[in-house]
Amino acid sequence: MVITDMKEEYGIIEDREPILIISGLHKRYSEGKSNEVHAIRGLDLTVRKGDMMAIMGPSGCGKTTLLNMIGHLDRRSEGKIIIDNIDTSRLSDGKMTSFRRDKIGFIFQLFNLFPFLSAVENVETPLLLKGIKAGVAREQAKMLLRELGMGDRLYHLPSELSGGQQQRVAVARALITDPAIILGDEPTGDLDSTTSTDVMKLFRRINQINQQTLVLVTHNRWIAEQCDYIVHMTDGKISHFEQGPFNKEENAK
Amino acid sequence: MGLKSSFMIAARSLLRRKTKNLSAILAVTLGVTLLVGIQITTDTLENSFLTSLLQGEGEVDFSVSNSTTTGYLTAADAETISDIVPSAVGIMPELTMEVPVMVGSQYDDSVELAGISTDYPDAFGSFYDWQTGEEMHLDALLVSNTTIILSSKQAEKLGLTEETMLPLNLTTEFTNTTGTVVEPPTLSLADWTVEESYTTVLYDLNSSSSYFSLNLEQSPLPGVVPSLVTLFKMNISMLDLSDFDYLNVTATGTSNIQVLLQFSLDDGSNFNVTNLEDASLPVDIDTLNAAFDLSPYADRTLRGDAFLVVMSADGMPASIEISEIAFETSKPVISYSSEVERTTLQVVGIFDSKHPGIGSQYSGAILRIEHVQQWLALQDREKEFDRVSSYLVALQTDHFTSEISEDYLQEQVDIVEAAIPETVDPDTGDSEKIYTVSSARLTFFSVAEIIMTLLSTMLTALGLLITITGVLLITNVQLMNVEDREFQTGVMRAVGENRRGITMSMLIENVFQGILGGIFGLIGGLGFGQTVANYLANIFGTGEFSVQPVVSQQVVILSVLIGVVLGVVTGVLPALRASRVNIVEALRGIKVTFEEKSGRNLVLLGILATAGGVFVLLINGVIDTSYEGIWLTEGWNTLDEWRNILIGSGLLFTGLGMVLSRFISRVKALNITAFAVWGAPVFLFVVAMGEWIPDISGLAPDILIIGVAEIVIGSVLLVSVNLPPLMRALRTFLVKIRGVKGVGQIAPALISSHKTRSTLTFAIFAVILTLNVTVATLVPTNLSSIIETEEDSRGVDLIVSLNMPEANITGLSYTEELYKIDSHITDVIGFKTYKSLTDYQRYLALADPYSSDFDYETDLLPLGYGVITTEQIRGNATDSFDSNWRYDFYLSSFPDAIGQPPVADVTDEQLNSMSKQAWDLFFASAYTMPAYNVSLSDLMSEDRDLNDIDFTSFSGYSGYELEDVEVLRDENGSVIENPIVFTDSFLLPLGMQVWIPMNTSESGFPAYQAFTIAGRLDSQRAGGFPLSSFNLLSGDDFNFMDALGNIYMNEYWANQTSYLAEADGETSTARAPEQYNKFLIKTTYAMDDPQIQSIAQAIEEFTNTDDEGYRSLAEDNFYVASTTILYSKIEQSMEMIQRVVSFLQIYVTFGLVIGAVGMTVISVRNVSERKREIGMMRAIGFPRTQVMLSVLLELVVLGIIGLAIGVVNGVLISVGFANMQGATLVIPWNDIFVYLGFITAIAIAAGAVPGWFASRIPPAEALRYVG
């Protein structure tokens, strides 16, 4: 099995539950047409609970596609994805949506906050979608934002916030539902280096305190090195696997 | 980068952004469709109005008719006319008469029988069969003088359908005059009395044996000079000498007898018949026997004393025997007596009277002209067979599609007019034309002009309001264009495109969209125009042939140009705004906000507007002193003052808002402006119209438009400014509901974040629905107010009219028979009415008929007469204080002794009590009221505006009060006071002096009695309402004569007339005391109970069945009862309003379509530009349903805001109208729910497809989307 392979190959000690298991994943764009693009070509990957993983690779290697597959923003062509012990291949669109809402948090390069909603409104929206009472949702969102140091920016619109602040809001929105996994697509790509460091510190903190699983796509070596593991991709496949310099388990040893 | 690059960028964005581009073109298309369509609609409406007016004229341009006094046209005159107007393409003779007809039980009291020649000129068109549409050939159809063809209009009136089998019998009455030769009068010889004082002889008069001879023997008195004279005297009654040619005296006597017969004439002169004339001749009794020629005295009347002097020429005894003094005529004097004879005519065909051409000219029946001449000859033996009532002349063919030039027509009419010889009236010395030339077409041109100016203003104004919605739509789409493209603009600026280039490329796009939209819009507008034309054809009932869409070239070009310019202009501002975009912000995706405080320019503009507003407000009272200033209470009580108040306050508060926005937050400043702009007209409608403004007759369309425009603008602004809090409230509400929490989070926020766009969208609906709700409210409000006052005032339920007075048979009373028909009938009130159709000697005189100024052509009005008896109104009550009063017969104007009601609200009870007092005066025949110096011409003359006529109640002319008018005085300076009459005619002003012909004297002249119009029946309430002539205005068979109304007299005066009583003994028109012809019936049922219908049916069956029921009782099968249910009469009178409403409906439909398409455009664009946001929504877990719901909800909310504004505004405006009329406001909830449903449906339809697509986009793809 994949898990065993990985264990053997990289010598990873299996002491935590795998939270994400990908096996035999393929993604082809414009399937069946002459301009078919085979973006993911049979990819296997396992992420355990509490892992903080970076995916690196040159442009067009399929990083973002892979992330979209994991986040179920796009349909895969074939293969299996199991998140939090749920095999998602049989989920209907409705189930998939609630699955996405409950299990996955997204952080994007362009933040993708609703421009017409204030910070706190952006953050509480996933809770409202879960059907949580508006008042409760608002309180939770405020709490979280305060925790993330955004207590004085609660009612600002995204356009009134700096990039780093926007990304904090985005992080808060991703965190608020306590997802099984947070996916970050170049989360610091749009930020300067100081802000980027701040945001990465934040990610690290979340990862360590909450045992929050994070998968980040980046082409920034420095960012990748903040993670426990770095997965290198080329041509839609994982080329090799690397441990981050600050791997907590390494440090723990 | 230059123009070329602008073109390239424009071309690319046009090609690549198909959806957005198409939506922009669609918006312009719609806008232009609207402009072209509204213009065509307005023009077509004008044209169809004119056509409907002129339809009855067929192809006739003018007619030459007999002038009533002298001569008549004959067959030979066709030549003459053709010589005078050589350009005429058709000249045809026509002879018409009016008769009552009956088919089965259907009766019509005046149907025009028109005699025409069967080979009439082709220029007049043809008759077409109403069923088959085939041409009808009169030669084959009209074979005898009892065969006729009937117009489809008349056929429908008589209840015939296309299934009715022809030929069918039609009963009519012709007056058959028979003459008997009258013996000329002789002077009764026994009536001579001897004047002793002048008589100098012993005479021996021997006349006892016979009245026909006078035997006289004279001998001298003893001792007296032998001049033997006997003088006789006799009083002679009036005798018109024009009837006689000579006077014959038959006498024999001795040769020395001399005779002098002297007659007095009306002018004080006299003439003599004598054998004394020439002293040189020997006395000869035979000279006396020669016929004395009376022709020199033909104009004179014999009256006063006559003398007969008999003398002896030589003093010797003489004797004479006169056997006869007789007036003789060479042609026999014939006395005519006319008798009505019933004849059966056969209807052999029915022609389509809606088909343009000769058929549309006639609404009655057609006979051969020879046959009408025969029928008319029966009626008037004196007249010859060869006569024609008029010649109809056509100057061109096909008037229905090509209008004749007004100038040319006028010119031709003038030529004919000038060619007609004149004759001098021997009495007055006035010369007059022996024939009259009239051109209804020419008259209608000018009448139509007046009405069209009024109508046009209204239509243009409404069209303008609706057009605004088109402009809103285009602006909206253009605005979206820019918002949409801020990112792109940022990029372009970043790579070095200058501002001009950006503006340029956007303008190129706009022009392209404008032109394309203009072309499509033109096509759409033409299509719409056609649809409207068809619709109008139905409304006017003139048939589709006569209403064609009027497409004037200039209008089309102008509209398209405006469309293009509009597209560009509405694009320029956004384009400029785009070019100013802050590059960094645009690239960062920060939406440009305009919430910062105002600049100095705006403040300056605000100060100007404020000053302008103050100036306009000061016009009242300061600049124009004919208005009172606004600081006075009186400054608020006329609509003209309000015009300035509305404009002034609008400007003032707009300016203030602008200035204030520099100092306080813009939201607060705009709130003040919006509230004031909205509040001023609301105050006008809700408060002022009800209480402060007593007279709303001057409600000109411009005040209405200003008011409505301000209300709409103000309310839209008010909502727009307060959109964020409103949306927050909506969010708070929605996030509490399971399943839509996400929607609640997104949709309201979206609406308030795109404030301008949202505002423009709901503004479209707000404009349309304000108009629509106003209109929809007016109709039921009017209806309910009438029903309410009717019910409150114990009105009648049913009116029965007999075609002639009930039979005068002892023991038979129609009233009693009616009671027997249904036990629910509680009261039957019989009335006597009389209407003179053709006998102008029975017309009402508006000037003193005995004065020399009297002109029977202008001073007579064919009003009807009626008698109202104390029993009908008061029942057993003796006066107004008696509680047994029978019938609450309301008046709206009152005699002097009561005074007029203050204009402000009068309660029904007060009105009732005043009315009762007025009736007391009416029945007290001793009461007289001064006549006032008012005349009909006040109403008709040019310096009186149409606005002065109070059309809303049609209760008459409201523009004057009697206090301002002088009392009439006679030559001695004393006030002229007359007995009083009441009227329901809207033409006759209160206080006017009129003369009613009471009887006809033996010499054939009517005897007139002067009256003062002292009261007017209330056409809105019981009593007056069922009798009111106004209600006829709305009926299908509008009859001008009937609409003129009636004069009501009390019993005393009615009994002096020969047509309401037996004043002259029993003549053909005389009426026995209880011989009624009109019956008002009260039942126990409610007014709108369908049971009344069955009572009405029972009454008709009872009266209208041959040889049964009343016809058998009265032994006359010509009795016809027609029943009118009052409730249906009310409904009918609403029809006119509903017609106006249906015009408005056209515009409103237009607006709703614009709104619908606008929504679709907005929804499509929303989805396509928000792809990325939709991706985010999906990414964080929005289910598809909620994505779709957010798209839908945005539209529904905007639609409902529009609806809410519309309903509130509409109701507020209607409150004003309801207050004015003292009506209870009825809000048409049904209609409002229909609009609600419609808007929701549009929103769902417009949002569903894009929404569905949106929810289907894979989130990953959506997230990749950039602008």
Side-chain angles (χ1 to χ4, degrees):
Chain A
M1 273 298 290
V2 184
I3 302 164
T4 338
D5 286 350
M6 283 175 76
K7 204 160 48 177
E8 280 166 9
E9 194 177 338
Y10 306 115
I12 295 167
I13 299 153
E14 175 54 56
D15 58 351
R16 282 170 287 144
E17 283 294 307
I19 198 137
L20 164 69
I21 303 164
I22 301 170
S23 56
L25 185 70
H26 287 266
K27 174 67 186 178
R28 301 175 197 93
Y29 289 107
S30 312
E31 234 165 331
K33 291 182 192 156
S34 58
N35 59 344
E36 187 185 288
V37 176
H38 202 160
I40 308 281
R41 305 167 176 227
L43 186 143
D44 303 316
L45 180 66
T46 302
V47 179
R48 290 164 305 163
K49 187 165 171 55
D51 276 354
M52 182 164 166
M53 179 185 280
I55 301 174
M56 282 192 76
S59 282
C61 70
K63 310 184 290 286
T64 304
T65 308
L66 174 62
L67 207 66
N68 286 344
M69 297 292 118
I70 300 171
H72 294 84
L73 292 178
D74 213 347
R75 296 205 165 263
R76 58 193 164 237
S77 302
E78 73 185 71
K80 200 170 192 175
I81 300 175
I82 297 169
I83 295 175
D84 212 12
N85 292 323
I86 298 166
D87 184 346
T88 60
S89 53
R90 288 204 199 99
L91 292 184
S92 66
D93 185 82
K95 288 254 175 65
M96 189 87 88
T97 304
S98 12
F99 173 79
R100 192 158 56 219
R101 183 188 69 207
D102 297 341
K103 300 291 181 190
I104 296 167
F106 285 100
I107 297 160
F108 300 94
Q109 175 180 3
L110 292 170
F111 324 127
N112 280 355
L113 295 172
F114 294 111
F116 46 86
L117 295 183
S118 65
V120 69
E121 283 171 339
N122 261 296
V123 175
E124 72 187 359
T125 304
L127 289 181
L128 289 174
L129 287 171
K130 275 178 97 166
I132 287 167
K133 276 192 173 180
V136 178
R138 176 61 57 99
E139 278 316 307
Q140 284 192 17
K142 278 187 192 166
M143 243 157 65
L144 187 57
L145 278 170
R146 283 195 196 107
E147 225 169 277
L148 296 180
M150 292 290 295
D152 54 344
R153 293 279 189 280
L154 293 179
Y155 299 105
H156 287 59
L157 287 176
S159 58
E160 295 159 341
L161 296 173
S162 73
Q165 289 168 330
Q166 287 189 55
Q167 201 58 301
R168 277 165 196 267
V169 177
V171 169
R173 188 175 68 184
L175 272 176
I176 192 108
T177 51
D178 191 18
I181 186 163
I182 287 181
L183 305 173
D185 187 358
E186 302 268 7
T188 58
D190 228 32
L191 303 173
D192 58 54
S193 61
T194 326
T195 324
S196 293
T197 314
D198 278 354
V199 169
M200 281 319 289
K201 276 188 186 156
L202 178 65
F203 284 161
R204 202 74 245 187
R205 210 178 94 203
I206 296 161
N207 175 252
Q208 281 171 359
I209 296 170
N210 298 9
Q211 285 286 298
Q212 179 68 57
T213 317
L214 284 140
V215 176
L216 310 176
V217 163
T218 179
H219 54 260
N220 186 324
R221 179 77 209 172
W222 180 83
I223 298 289
E225 281 176 354
Q226 308 289 312
C227 298
D228 298 337
Y229 304 98
I230 304 166
V231 175
H232 291 272
M233 279 184 75
T234 39
D235 293 337
K237 281 181 188 161
I238 292 172
S239 59
H240 65 280
F241 204 74
E242 178 188 355
Q243 274 199 347
F246 309 110
N247 187 314
K248 6 183 215 298
E249 280 164 28
E250 282 299 297
N251 299 344
K253 269 186 212 166
Chain B
M1 290 196 251
L3 196 63
K4 196 174 158 197
S5 74
S6 296
F7 260 111
M8 269 172 56
I9 291 166
R12 282 197 194 131
S13 72
L14 281 170
L15 283 174
R16 300 248 164 95
R17 302 151 65 96
K18 286 195 192 97
T19 322
K20 292 175 181 177
N21 192 28
L22 273 178
S23 61
I25 293 174
L26 191 62
V28 179
T29 302
L30 269 174
V32 175
T33 303
L34 197 70
L35 284 166
V36 175
I38 293 274
Q39 265 310 324
I40 293 180
T41 307
T42 311
D43 289 349
T44 306
L45 198 58
E46 289 188 16
N47 184 55
S48 56
F49 177 71
L50 196 65
T51 314
S52 79
L53 278 182
L54 283 173
Q55 194 179 28
E57 289 306 301
E59 306 282 0
V60 178
D61 280 310
F62 65 87
S63 64
V64 181
S65 332
N66 293 326
S67 145
T68 35
T69 47
T70 46
Y72 46 86
L73 293 154
T74 65
D77 290 313
E79 282 289 307
T80 325
I81 294 171
S82 140
D83 288 344
I84 300 169
V85 205
S87 59
V89 296
I91 297 171
M92 63 180 275
E94 182 194 71
L95 181 61
T96 58
M97 63 191 292
E98 283 198 353
V99 291
V101 307
M102 184 164 78
V103 172
S105 66
Q106 297 284 325
Y107 177 81
D108 193 333
D109 62 358
S110 77
V111 171
E112 186 186 68
L113 295 189
I116 63 170
S117 145
T118 51
D119 55 347
Y120 56 86
D122 291 340
F124 290 96
S126 301
F127 289 100
Y128 294 92
D129 191 282
W130 78 326
Q131 291 169 29
T132 61
E134 283 167 20
E135 199 177 327
M136 297 168 90
H137 299 283
L138 300 196
D139 259 331
L141 288 167
L142 304 177
V143 289
S144 77
N145 65 359
T146 54
T147 47
I148 60 169
I149 57 170
L150 205 58
S151 75
S152 59
K153 197 172 170 189
Q154 187 64 49
E156 277 165 6
K157 248 166 128 179
L158 289 170
L160 304 183
T161 66
E162 301 202 2
E163 280 78 48
T164 314
M165 290 295 288
L166 293 180
L168 70 109
N169 286 340
L170 177 149
T171 314
T172 183
E173 290 177 336
F174 287 116
T175 313
N176 188 357
T177 312
T178 46
T180 44
V181 177
V182 181
E183 287 297 323
T186 50
L187 294 186
S188 163
L189 296 165
D191 291 348
W192 294 104
T193 52
V194 177
E195 284 282 298
E196 297 288 353
S197 53
Y198 295 99
T199 301
T200 59
V201 294
L202 278 178
Y203 59 90
D204 182 6
L205 188 62
N206 179 15
S207 63
S208 58
S209 58
S210 162
Y211 286 114
F212 297 106
S213 66
L214 185 73
N215 285 311
L216 184 75
E217 283 181 21
Q218 295 179 319
S219 43
L221 282 172
V224 177
V225 270
S227 56
L228 312 177
V229 177
T230 307
L231 190 112
F232 298 87
K233 195 181 165 192
M234 179 181 184
N235 199 294
I236 291 196
S237 60
M238 280 166 64
L239 191 66
D240 187 349
L241 292 180
S242 64
D243 285 345
F244 304 98
D245 296 320
Y246 48 90
L247 178 70
N248 237 350
V249 181
T250 315
T252 52
T254 53
S255 61
N256 62 342
I257 196 87
Q258 292 180 334
V259 180
L260 170 71
L261 247 177
Q262 189 175 75
F263 294 92
S264 310
L265 294 172
D266 54 347
D267 61 348
S269 65
N270 49 44
F271 71 86
N272 302 327
V273 181
T274 177
N275 61 352
L276 269 175
E277 205 97 316
D278 200 336
S280 62
L281 289 174
V283 174
D284 183 359
I285 190 80
D286 289 336
T287 318
L288 197 63
N289 283 332
F292 178 79
D293 185 10
L294 284 173
S295 58
Y297 311 103
D299 292 341
R300 302 266 74 94
T301 306
L302 209 59
R303 65 197 236 170
D305 298 331
F307 299 94
L308 173 62
V309 186
V310 182
M311 284 179 283
S312 166
D314 48 10
M316 300 301 290
S319 76
I320 185 172
E321 181 178 347
I322 300 173
S323 56
E324 189 184 56
I325 303 172
F327 290 87
E328 302 277 340
T329 168
S330 54
K331 55 177 193 278
V333 174
I334 302 170
S335 142
Y336 295 99
S337 65
S338 49
E339 203 176 328
V340 171
E341 282 185 0
R342 281 181 198 151
T343 311
T344 303
L345 301 179
Q346 204 174 35
V347 179
V348 293
I350 295 174
F351 62 89
D352 185 355
S353 49
K354 286 182 180 173
H355 198 293
I358 194 163
S360 64
Q361 241 168 276
Y362 295 105
S363 55
I366 303 285
L367 284 84
R368 273 175 196 257
I369 192 162
E370 309 89 272
H371 297 151
V372 178
Q373 282 164 348
Q374 288 168 17
W375 290 120
L376 267 176
L378 276 183
Q379 185 181 313
D380 193 344
R381 299 284 183 188
E382 276 191 334
K383 290 190 174 162
E384 290 160 37
F385 279 86
D386 179 20
R387 69 183 140 133
V388 166
S389 48
S390 49
Y391 275 98
L392 309 179
V393 181
L395 295 172
Q396 67 164 52
T397 54
D398 229 2
H399 287 84
F400 289 89
T401 46
S402 60
E403 204 170 272
I404 194 166
S405 143
E406 194 180 339
D407 295 337
Y408 175 64
L409 180 54
Q410 181 70 57
E411 186 190 315
Q412 297 299 315
V413 167
D414 290 345
I415 290 174
V416 179
E417 181 106 47
I420 294 175
E422 290 188 348
T423 172
V424 177
D425 187 317
D427 290 338
T428 59
D430 295 344
S431 60
E432 56 185 349
K433 296 278 183 189
I434 57 172
Y435 306 124
T436 50
V437 184
S438 57
S439 172
R441 204 174 286 281
L442 209 51
T443 317
F444 278 129
F445 275 135
S446 51
V447 170
E449 216 165 282
I450 298 169
I451 298 178
M452 281 327 294
T453 327
L454 210 76
L455 195 64
S456 267
T457 331
M458 253 180 71
L459 289 180
T460 312
L462 274 171
L464 210 70
L465 280 175
I466 305 288
T467 309
I468 290 173
T469 60
V471 178
L472 288 178
L473 179 66
I474 297 177
T475 317
N476 201 350
V477 170
Q478 295 293 12
L479 190 75
M480 285 164 118
N481 252 344
V482 179
E483 276 184 358
D484 210 21
R485 247 193 265 172
E486 267 157 21
F487 182 75
Q488 186 200 340
T489 318
V491 175
M492 276 165 60
R493 295 274 286 127
V495 297
E497 177 67 286
N498 59 19
R499 287 184 174 170
R500 236 183 58 205
I502 287 173
T503 317
M504 210 54 211
S505 70
M506 290 196 71
L507 279 182
I508 292 167
E509 258 188 84
N510 286 336
V511 170
F512 175 78
Q513 290 164 348
I515 291 173
L516 217 59
I519 293 168
F520 288 136
L522 178 59
I523 297 168
L526 291 177
F528 189 88
Q530 182 66 53
T531 318
V532 168
N534 289 341
Y535 178 68
L536 287 177
N538 284 333
I539 291 184
F540 281 106
T542 45
E544 55 194 296
F545 295 104
S546 47
V547 182
Q548 295 296 325
V550 178
V551 185
S552 65
Q553 220 170 344
Q554 303 96 300
V555 162
V556 168
I557 294 171
L558 198 71
S559 298
V560 174
L561 256 174
I562 289 175
V564 174
V565 170
L566 212 64
V568 174
V569 168
T570 51
V572 165
L573 288 176
L576 282 175
R577 178 171 150 180
S579 70
R580 299 251 155 87
V581 148
N582 179 316
I583 302 168
V584 178
E585 284 189 346
L587 286 176
R588 275 184 61 194
I590 297 175
K591 297 284 176 190
V592 183
T593 48
F594 276 78
E595 292 300 321
E596 79 278 6
K597 286 194 171 166
S598 314
R600 234 179 284 162
N601 289 344
L602 198 68
V603 173
L604 201 70
L605 207 66
I607 291 170
L608 280 178
T610 311
V614 172
F615 175 79
V616 175
L617 283 177
L618 286 181
I619 289 179
N620 285 3
V622 176
I623 295 157
D624 186 340
T625 44
S626 61
Y627 302 127
E628 274 105 353
I630 52 164
W631 53 89
L632 299 170
T633 321
E634 295 79 37
W636 301 76
N637 62 3
T638 71
L639 284 165
D640 285 327
E641 287 160 355
W642 267 96
R643 178 186 290 121
N644 289 337
I645 293 175
L646 286 185
I647 299 174
S649 66
L651 274 173
L652 173 67
F653 283 100
T654 308
L656 276 182
M658 287 175 175
V659 176
L660 277 176
S661 64
R662 174 94 171 145
F663 306 103
I664 58 173
S665 91
R666 180 171 282 229
V667 172
K668 276 182 198 156
L670 282 178
N671 255 322
I672 294 171
T673 302
F675 192 77
V677 170
W678 176 77
V682 165
F683 193 78
L684 165 67
F685 285 119
V686 177
V687 182
M689 272 200 182
E691 327 219 321
W692 295 0
I693 302 174
D695 179 20
I696 51 101
S697 54
L699 188 65
D702 62 331
I703 301 177
L704 205 58
I705 289 160
I706 294 168
V708 171
E710 284 195 355
I711 280 193
V712 171
I713 293 171
S715 55
V716 165
L717 194 61
L718 198 61
V719 174
S720 168
V721 170
N722 298 304
L723 209 50
L726 217 74
M727 287 302 110
R728 276 201 291 278
L730 180 66
R731 177 200 173 270
T732 316
F733 170 70
L734 283 175
V735 293
K736 284 190 185 129
I737 302 168
R738 261 195 99 76
V740 293
K741 285 179 195 279
V743 179
Q745 185 79 333
I746 298 291
L750 265 177
I751 292 172
S752 52
S753 74
H754 295 93
K755 208 187 323 183
T756 321
R757 182 193 298 191
S758 305
T759 303
L760 288 174
T761 310
F762 70 70
I764 294 177
F765 285 101
V767 173
I768 300 300
L769 291 166
T770 301
L771 291 178
N772 219 10
V773 171
T774 308
V775 169
T777 312
L778 285 179
V779 177
T781 300
N782 272 321
L783 189 60
S784 98
S785 82
I786 293 180
I787 294 173
E788 210 172 280
T789 46
E790 256 313 292
E791 282 183 340
D792 287 353
S793 51
R794 299 199 285 157
V796 298
D797 300 309
L798 192 63
I799 308 157
V800 179
S801 306
L802 287 177
N803 60 328
M804 53 187 180
E806 63 176 297
N808 188 15
I809 297 172
T810 325
L812 178 64
S813 152
Y814 194 69
T815 308
E816 291 308 315
E817 297 300 324
L818 286 178
Y819 278 121
K820 285 182 209 161
I821 284 174
D822 197 300
S823 58
H824 292 92
I825 295 177
T826 54
D827 204 353
V828 177
I829 305 167
F831 280 92
K832 282 196 258 181
T833 61
Y834 171 83
K835 176 134 221 158
S836 172
L837 290 172
T838 48
D839 181 5
Y840 69 90
Q841 298 200 344
R842 292 273 162 80
Y843 286 4
L844 183 78
L846 304 177
D848 186 352
Y850 297 114
S851 93
S852 55
D853 298 336
F854 183 75
D855 180 351
Y856 65 88
E857 277 184 32
T858 55
D859 294 337
L860 288 178
L861 208 56
L863 263 72
Y865 304 103
V867 51
I868 295 180
T869 65
T870 171
E871 195 271 333
Q872 288 160 352
I873 307 297
R874 296 199 281 211
N876 303 325
T878 45
D879 58 31
S880 55
F881 302 105
D882 195 324
S883 60
N884 290 322
W885 197 275
R886 182 181 186 189
Y887 186 27
D888 290 340
F889 207 121
Y890 286 75
L891 297 179
S892 58
S893 311
F894 301 90
D896 273 359
I898 291 170
Q900 298 307 303
V903 195
D905 285 349
V906 183
T907 63
D908 273 2
E909 290 82 57
Q910 280 170 308
L911 216 54
N912 194 3
S913 136
M914 287 172 76
S915 299
K916 284 179 175 177
Q917 291 168 40
W919 285 111
D920 282 349
L921 295 176
F922 181 81
F923 295 126
S925 50
Y927 176 73
T928 56
M929 175 175 152
Y932 288 83
N933 188 17
V934 288
S935 64
L936 207 58
S937 55
D938 275 2
L939 186 67
M940 301 303 196
S941 72
E942 289 185 11
D943 57 319
R944 289 286 181 180
D945 211 72
L946 271 180
N947 284 336
D948 288 345
I949 303 176
D950 183 1
F951 281 109
T952 52
S953 66
F954 243 100
S955 60
Y957 177 62
S958 67
Y960 80 99
E961 286 161 15
L962 282 184
E963 289 106 76
D964 308 337
V965 185
E966 283 180 21
V967 180
L968 285 178
R969 290 172 191 281
D970 62 16
E971 299 129 28
N972 307 326
S974 48
V975 174
I976 298 176
E977 294 212 1
N978 297 315
I980 60 168
V981 287
F982 288 169
T983 185
D984 60 10
S985 168
F986 64 88
L987 282 173
L988 302 177
L990 191 72
M992 187 179 180
Q993 184 171 225
V994 294
W995 286 261
I996 298 176
M998 305 304 283
N999 290 306
T1000 309
S1001 72
E1002 263 176 58
S1003 53
F1005 294 110
Y1008 284 95
Q1009 164 70 41
F1011 291 94
T1012 303
I1013 305 277
R1016 188 188 310 285
L1017 311 191
D1018 190 330
S1019 63
Q1020 308 265 310
R1021 288 179 181 75
F1025 184 76
L1027 294 178
S1028 169
S1029 57
F1030 165 60
N1031 302 292
L1032 291 160
L1033 281 173
S1034 49
D1036 284 336
D1037 42 7
F1038 170 74
N1039 180 331
F1040 182 70
M1041 297 266 276
D1042 285 347
L1044 284 177
N1046 302 288
I1047 296 272
Y1048 293 95
M1049 291 174 263
N1050 64 19
E1051 264 173 304
Y1052 172 79
W1053 287 110
N1055 283 336
Q1056 310 300 310
T1057 73
S1058 56
Y1059 40 88
L1060 290 170
E1062 292 172 338
D1064 268 356
E1066 289 181 36
T1067 65
S1068 61
T1069 52
R1071 307 269 282 272
E1074 294 200 334
Q1075 218 182 338
Y1076 301 123
N1077 64 319
K1078 201 165 203 170
F1079 303 84
L1080 306 186
I1081 297 174
K1082 294 187 193 178
T1083 68
T1084 52
Y1085 295 118
M1087 195 180 178
D1088 52 353
D1089 196 311
Q1091 283 301 317
I1092 293 173
Q1093 175 73 45
S1094 46
I1095 296 182
Q1097 258 169 17
I1099 291 172
E1100 287 192 3
E1101 256 167 51
F1102 167 72
T1103 322
N1104 302 350
T1105 317
D1106 272 2
D1107 303 317
E1108 279 174 42
Y1110 191 70
R1111 287 184 178 184
S1112 113
L1113 292 173
E1115 293 169 353
D1116 189 343
N1117 277 345
F1118 206 64
Y1119 271 106
V1120 183
S1122 39
T1123 54
T1124 312
I1125 296 160
L1126 212 65
Y1127 184 70
S1128 68
K1129 209 171 169 186
I1130 294 173
E1131 284 183 319
Q1132 259 178 36
S1133 69
M1134 282 295 112
E1135 239 167 59
M1136 198 149 81
I1137 300 173
Q1138 260 151 358
R1139 277 187 194 179
V1140 176
V1141 171
S1142 47
F1143 294 153
L1144 297 179
Q1145 222 80 40
I1146 298 175
Y1147 292 110
V1148 170
T1149 312
F1150 233 147
L1152 283 178
V1153 169
I1154 297 286
V1157 177
M1159 259 194 178
T1160 316
V1161 169
I1162 288 160
S1163 154
V1164 168
R1165 310 255 323 209
N1166 272 354
V1167 168
S1168 71
E1169 87 186 45
R1170 288 203 199 131
K1171 263 191 185 165
R1172 195 181 157 83
E1173 278 146 25
I1174 288 164
M1176 290 182 226
M1177 283 161 75
R1178 295 285 283 141
I1180 63 162
F1182 269 80
R1184 279 183 181 162
T1185 46
Q1186 290 208 31
V1187 171
M1188 229 177 120
L1189 271 180
S1190 322
V1191 173
L1192 287 182
L1193 188 75
E1194 188 179 345
L1195 296 181
V1196 173
V1197 166
L1198 290 178
I1200 288 177
I1201 290 177
L1203 177 71
I1205 295 176
V1207 170
V1208 170
N1209 287 344
V1211 168
L1212 289 175
I1213 295 170
S1214 305
V1215 165
F1217 285 108
N1219 280 347
M1220 264 162 18
Q1221 301 177 353
T1224 315
L1225 185 68
V1226 177
I1227 298 171
W1229 288 114
N1230 282 348
D1231 286 351
I1232 290 172
F1233 280 119
V1234 169
Y1235 299 144
L1236 179 66
F1238 182 75
I1239 284 173
T1240 318
I1242 293 176
I1244 288 172
V1249 175
W1252 189 81
F1253 274 113
S1255 70
R1256 291 275 144 182
I1257 307 169
E1261 192 187 312
L1263 281 169
R1264 265 203 301 276
Y1265 179 83
V1266 184

